[in-house]
Each structure stands twice: as structure tokens, then as C-alpha cells.
Amino acid sequence: LPQPTQLQFIPLGGLGEFGANVMVYRWGADCLVVDAGLMFPGEEHHGVDVVLPDLSFLDACGELHGVVLTHGHEDHVGALPYLIARHDVPVYASPYTLGLVRSRLGEHDLPRSQDLRALDGGPRRLGPFTVEGFPVTHSIPQSRLLVVRTPAGTVVHTADYKLDPGPDRRESTDVERLARLGREGVDVLLGDSTNADRPGRTPSEASVAAAIEPLVADAPGRVIVSTFSSHVERIRNLGHIAARHGRKLALVGASLERHAEVAERLGLLSLPAGSRALPDEVETLAPDRLLIVAAGSQAEPMSALSRIALGRHRQVRLEPQDRVIHSARVIPGSEKSIGRTINNLLRRGAEVITAADAPVHVSGHASRDELHEMIVRLQPRYLLPIHGEYRQLLAHARLAAEAGLDRSRVLLADSGDVVALGDAGLAIVDRVHVGHVFLDATFDEVDRAVLRDRRRLADDGVVVPVVAVHRESGAVNGYPRIMARGFVPIGEDGDADLLTEARRVVVESLDEATSEERRDEALLRARIQSELRRFLRRRTRRSPLVVPVILEL
Ligand SMILES: [Zn+2]
Ligand SMILES: [Zn+2]
């Protein structure tokens, strides 16, 4: 394959799907990776805890000069341990992101001495690419917009951002700086599309604090706030609110503690002296002296919030006077577990306030008017919408037209497309292999076939035909038996005697088998499996897992 001499963008995830953001930049034989994220499994992924993008393309990419991480959210850094286990490359990021990566690498038994480098403090040269990180406002500390200067021109990679200025100007999106970049000339904008279908502007984080404060002021008992563990700014605001109302801030949950530890080390969680509850004070302080931040805003099964709701938390016992504030969005796929947890909280007599009752949560992503402003300020020649399902990417493309960017200058691409910047603009010139790798809680890979079996088991149960065959003669001994679990053996026509008929199907398939097939267990199993599966599907419209058992006599 001739090496291209144009600038290429190769998304290995994150386009046409939510999460697993990975973007490869390629110039000739030189490559750079921006972000290495994971995605969370859907309901159909039984027993899967983590979905990783398939990164095998990187083996063939040429020389990999480094991985640049825009920020520390899992959909941008979660696949990093798997990437650096295979590719020994330096990782560049802001101090907070590096802090999270360092603690994560320890969990994966990867050397903490991994080559982690500062992104901040000026342009970094990575092969033919020069990368500079600018602060942007987001829902985790120190998110970085990237300016990537290449032989083919200047690229702005927005990362996740919004334009709202946060409390610390140095860590907020600087729109004047964006305008300056625009005047210098931006060739391609890779823009976050997550909220491209939301009108207006995303409200500021200060509005969340303003909505929560009165709910703390008049609470008769404990206040428990559940939010994303990485949302350090919100947690700091909660600490200040607690202090103003005679309460102490307690953080419960391992992920919260991990984020707080990194944030404290970097001076990002500065709180009034004495405003944090000591570990035993969670139990000993009067309820109206506590503001508890609980991990598990998506009601993850073992999380602090889920345990509190079930009355199983070691330290926090809910009482009827307590008030629970769900200060988070509901990530698609978590609706049911969050609903269940809220029901459990209400059953224990607590009052529950969600974003549907009061403005206790805002998104960390720019809405339509901000995406519009980003395009107006940067004046890019081309736009490649990133981060989103097709509808968000399309919405971003449409609003770009309103911002004055001709439709011919916007490219809608999918994960796996090779996008090249050529004389005629941005175009898809090739495809590479992309896909997903499924992992369970022990970080072992869950094979696609295993997942398919689990789905069959969950939906339609299992049918086990048991056949005894003489090893030497291949003769079938006796009549086959059929066991079924979780399978309703009733035909579409109401025929309740389906399993008797199914036994006949097995007998027939055995009769028609050659003696070679009968002596070869694998062949015999495959034959029985396919015949029985076809019969059951035809008669019941169901596809249970069929597991033939051959007993050799
Ligand atoms: Zn993201
Ligand atoms: Zn993010």
C-alpha cells in the first residue's frame, strides 16, 4: 500500500457512536493518536463491563509518536492501558489527566514509570506534528482543546468543551484566544458534537450551585448529592455550600476518593479549613450537620448510592428526613437502574430531587449557539464533526451551514473512515478495520460468540438434546432425551407436545448422518444443533441456545 502524503484523520471510535473516542492523525508514515476512550455496554451486552475500540489498526499505522489525551473522562482515556500495553509511546496530557492516568495504570499492573509527559507549557513536537493544548471549560478539571500544526495546515481538535467561563479564568475557554487562532488561519476543525441537537447555550456551573444551595439550606436531615466523581468543580461548590450552612462535606465511594485525591494534590479542591468530615463523622455527626456526596450517579450496582438506597451502606443509613439530590444526567442505558434506585430511596422515606424537579445539573458540552460561535470565531476552512451518533454529527453539520460554512466544507464520517485533506478539500479516501472488544470485570475478553450465546440464553433459554452413541459402531443407543431450561416448549399453533416432536427431529438427523459423522463428535453435534435449531425456530419463532450432548458408549 503506497503511503499517503496527505494529512489523514482516521477515527477508530467515537463517530457514529457515543463514546470510545480515538482519533489517529497520519502524515505519510507518521502517526499521532488523540484520545483513547472506552464506551459503556448496553443492555444486550450481558456480563460485559467495558467496551473498548479495536485498536489493531495502530499496528499497521507506521511510526506512532505519542498519545495526546484531551481530558480524563473514560470515553477519552479508558482504553489507554490497553493501548500502551501494546505500544510503548509517550502520553501527553494536562496535570489532572496525567494524575488520573497514573492511578489507573497502577490498577492495571502497568508500570507507573510509563512515559507520561506534560502537554501544558508550550508547543510539543511529535514527529511532523506540533501540538499545543489550550484550556477549555468542561465537567472535569483541565480539559484541553488541541491545536495541531501539520505540514498540511492547522487543525483545531476541540475535545469536550463549553464556552461558559468557569470560576478560574485560566482554566476556562478563552474565546478571544479562539478568535486569534481564527485570524491566524484554521484549516480543519474537529468539533465536539455531543450537544449539537440542544438549542441555546449550556447554562453555567454556577447555576447548579445556585439551584442546590436553597435545597441544602432548608433540609431538615442529611443532604446526599449524587454526581459524577470527576466533577471536581461541582464537588468544591458543594463543599462551600455545606460550610455556609453549618454542614461538613463527606465523600463516599472509591471513585470519588480517587478523583478527590488527585484534585487535592493539584490544589483543585480547596475548601475552607475543617469543612471536610472525618471518616467516622459520617456516622457520628447529626444528620443536619452533613452534606454527603455519594458516587454512583448512574446507579451502578455496587456504588455508594445504590447501597444507600438498599440500606446496605456501611456508614450511611437513610432516614425519612433525608434529602437526596440526583445532580447528574441519565446516561442512555442507565434509565432502569436509576429508576429502581430512586424507587428504593423513596421507599426508605427520603425525598428525591432530580434534574426534572430543579436545575440541579448542567451538561459539560457546548449547545448549538456555542458550536455556532466556535465556528464563527475560528473560521475554519473545513469541519469534521466528532463525538456523537449520526444524528448529532448531522445536526452539527447543519448548524455549521447557518454559521456560514458551506455544506461542501463539512464532512460526515464514520469510525473507520480514512479522511484526507487534499486539494479538493476533506474527503473519505479509504476504510480501515474498526470494531469493539468486550471485557468483563476481571478485564478478560468476552468473545463475540459468548455474547451471542448469552443473548440467546437470556431471551429464549437453552435446549439440550442428549444422544448416546457407540464409539466403535457409531450406532445410536436408545432414544434421545431433550432437556430444556428457560425455554417455552409451545409451538406457535399452541402445540404443547413440541419436545416429543423435537426428539423425532434429532432421531431423523441421526438416521441421515453417515457413519463418519456419527463417529466424529464435533460433526454430529453441529448436525444436531443446526437441524434442531431450524425446527425450533420454524415452530416457535424462538432461537434458544441449543447445546447437544453426545455420550460415547
Ligand atoms: Zn467525551
Ligand atoms: Zn468529557
Side-chain angles (χ1 to χ4, degrees):
L1 204 107
Q3 288 295 348
T5 50
Q6 333 118 299
L7 176 64
Q8 295 186 338
F9 306 101
I10 308 163
L12 300 183
L15 271 70
E17 62 190 358
F18 179 73
N21 299 299
V22 186
M23 181 66 77
V24 180
Y25 286 58
R26 178 153 75 161
W27 173 260
D30 296 297
C31 293
L32 166 71
V33 177
V34 173
D35 287 335
L38 53 72
M39 62 198 272
F40 293 100
E43 301 244 303
E44 72 278 20
H45 300 127
H46 301 283
V48 172
D49 293 86
V50 163
V51 181
L52 296 176
D54 185 330
L55 299 175
S56 49
F57 169 71
L58 295 180
D59 299 341
C61 189
E63 191 180 348
L64 202 53
H65 292 279
V67 180
V68 182
L69 304 172
T70 58
H71 65 292
H73 278 148
E74 291 292 327
D75 57 324
H76 296 259
V77 304
L80 184 73
Y82 309 96
L83 191 159
I84 60 180
R86 259 179 102 123
H87 303 276
D88 184 19
V89 292
V91 177
Y92 295 82
S94 65
Y96 187 74
T97 309
L98 288 182
L100 292 179
V101 164
R102 207 167 279 126
S103 79
R104 172 56 60 88
L105 294 184
E107 284 170 27
H108 283 257
D109 299 327
L110 285 164
R112 281 165 186 259
S113 60
Q114 169 70 31
D115 191 357
L116 303 178
R117 302 184 188 180
L119 172 64
D120 295 357
R124 304 284 173 228
R125 263 205 87 85
L126 288 88
F129 309 101
T130 303
V131 184
E132 198 171 0
F134 291 169
V136 282
T137 313
H138 188 40
S139 45
I140 189 169
Q142 301 181 345
S143 186
R144 297 290 179 254
L145 169 147
L146 305 179
V147 178
V148 185
R149 296 196 167 84
T150 78
T154 300
V155 181
V156 170
H157 194 123
T158 68
D160 291 354
Y161 74 100
K162 57 181 183 176
L163 294 186
D164 160 54
D168 181 353
R169 304 292 289 190
R170 288 161 309 170
E171 278 298 333
S172 305
T173 313
D174 180 347
V175 289
E176 294 308 323
R177 200 170 186 180
L178 295 178
R180 232 163 24 239
L181 269 174
R183 285 193 293 275
E184 287 163 27
V186 173
D187 294 286
V188 186
L189 169 63
L190 272 55
D192 177 27
S193 312
T194 306
N195 279 356
D197 46 11
R198 291 205 200 171
R201 300 179 82 88
T202 304
S204 82
E205 187 57 30
S207 72
V208 172
I212 290 179
E213 180 141 15
L215 297 172
V216 175
D218 72 356
R222 281 184 199 84
V223 176
I224 299 174
V225 181
S226 191
T227 191
F228 297 103
S229 300
S230 53
H231 209 321
V232 173
E233 186 185 347
R234 189 166 299 171
I235 293 163
R236 192 182 53 223
N237 287 344
L238 289 168
H240 285 281
I241 291 172
R244 283 199 288 274
H245 297 278
R247 292 173 186 260
K248 285 194 175 186
L249 180 77
L251 305 180
V252 302
S255 63
L256 263 171
E257 281 164 24
R258 181 156 55 100
H259 279 273
E261 193 192 301
V262 177
E264 268 179 332
R265 214 181 313 129
L266 295 168
L268 299 169
L269 194 59
S270 50
L271 290 171
S275 59
R276 288 279 292 273
L278 302 170
D280 61 326
E281 286 183 324
V282 180
E283 287 164 278
T284 57
L285 275 180
D288 63 354
R289 302 274 331 274
L290 273 172
L291 192 159
I292 297 169
V293 180
S297 67
Q298 301 308 305
E300 297 87 344
M302 297 306 281
S303 67
L305 185 68
S306 297
R307 290 190 209 212
I308 290 169
L310 289 168
R312 296 233 174 86
H313 195 271
R314 202 161 39 84
Q315 291 178 295
V316 185
R317 300 240 159 253
L318 270 189
E319 286 163 64
Q321 300 271 295
D322 294 345
R323 177 173 281 170
V324 180
I325 301 171
H326 189 253
S327 173
R329 83 185 185 100
V330 177
I331 292 178
S334 304
E335 297 91 344
K336 278 187 187 153
S337 47
I338 292 177
R340 207 157 39 226
T341 296
I342 289 176
N343 281 323
N344 290 336
L345 291 166
L346 291 169
R347 273 200 189 95
R348 308 192 85 75
E351 184 189 1
V352 179
I353 295 163
T354 71
D357 308 307
V360 293
H361 174 67
V362 295
S363 168
H365 296 270
S367 298
R368 294 179 60 87
D369 289 359
E370 292 158 275
L371 299 181
H372 187 282
E373 184 177 341
M374 180 61 96
I375 292 166
V376 169
R377 298 229 179 230
L378 287 179
Q379 294 293 322
R381 285 170 61 217
Y382 299 100
L383 168 68
L384 177 64
I386 58 171
H387 306 164
E389 294 176 10
Y390 186 74
R391 61 196 161 127
Q392 282 97 28
L393 303 181
L394 181 64
H396 199 173
R398 287 190 172 146
L399 78 83
E402 293 162 25
L405 200 58
D406 191 86
R407 188 65 184 78
S408 66
R409 294 183 172 274
V410 182
L411 185 73
L412 287 177
D414 232 325
S415 297
D417 286 338
V418 178
V419 175
L421 178 63
D423 296 334
L426 221 46
I428 297 168
V429 296
D430 201 357
R431 281 282 300 170
V432 301
H433 171 77
V434 286
H436 294 137
V437 177
F438 304 99
L439 301 183
D440 64 18
T442 60
F443 304 123
D444 287 325
E445 186 170 343
V446 183
D447 193 72
R448 214 163 264 281
V450 170
L451 266 189
R452 203 169 43 232
D453 287 353
R454 286 181 186 168
R455 211 168 303 150
R456 281 216 173 100
L457 273 171
D459 292 343
D460 295 319
V462 58
V463 171
V464 183
V466 184
V467 177
V469 179
H470 274 284
R471 195 191 320 256
E472 272 115 61
S473 65
V476 175
N477 197 56
Y479 207 57
R481 290 180 51 205
I482 294 189
M483 297 183 287
R485 290 285 184 279
F487 171 71
V488 184
I490 298 175
E492 274 207 312
D493 49 4
D495 181 0
D497 206 16
L498 206 70
L499 286 189
T500 310
E501 235 180 296
R503 289 164 84 181
R504 226 169 285 139
V505 171
V506 175
V507 170
E508 274 165 33
S509 92
L510 288 168
D511 284 347
E512 285 160 22
T514 62
S515 58
E516 287 79 19
E517 276 178 318
R518 275 188 227 157
R519 272 194 295 266
D520 184 326
E521 197 185 312
L523 282 178
L524 198 59
R525 284 171 58 124
R527 183 180 177 90
I528 295 170
Q529 191 177 46
S530 83
E531 297 279 320
L532 192 53
R533 208 184 260 166
R534 192 177 317 139
F535 166 77
L536 293 172
R537 195 178 306 135
R538 183 161 42 82
R539 294 295 301 275
T540 67
R541 303 272 160 223
R542 295 183 198 106
S543 334
L545 188 66
V546 175
V547 187
V549 174
I550 314 283
L551 302 172
E552 287 195 340
L553 300 174

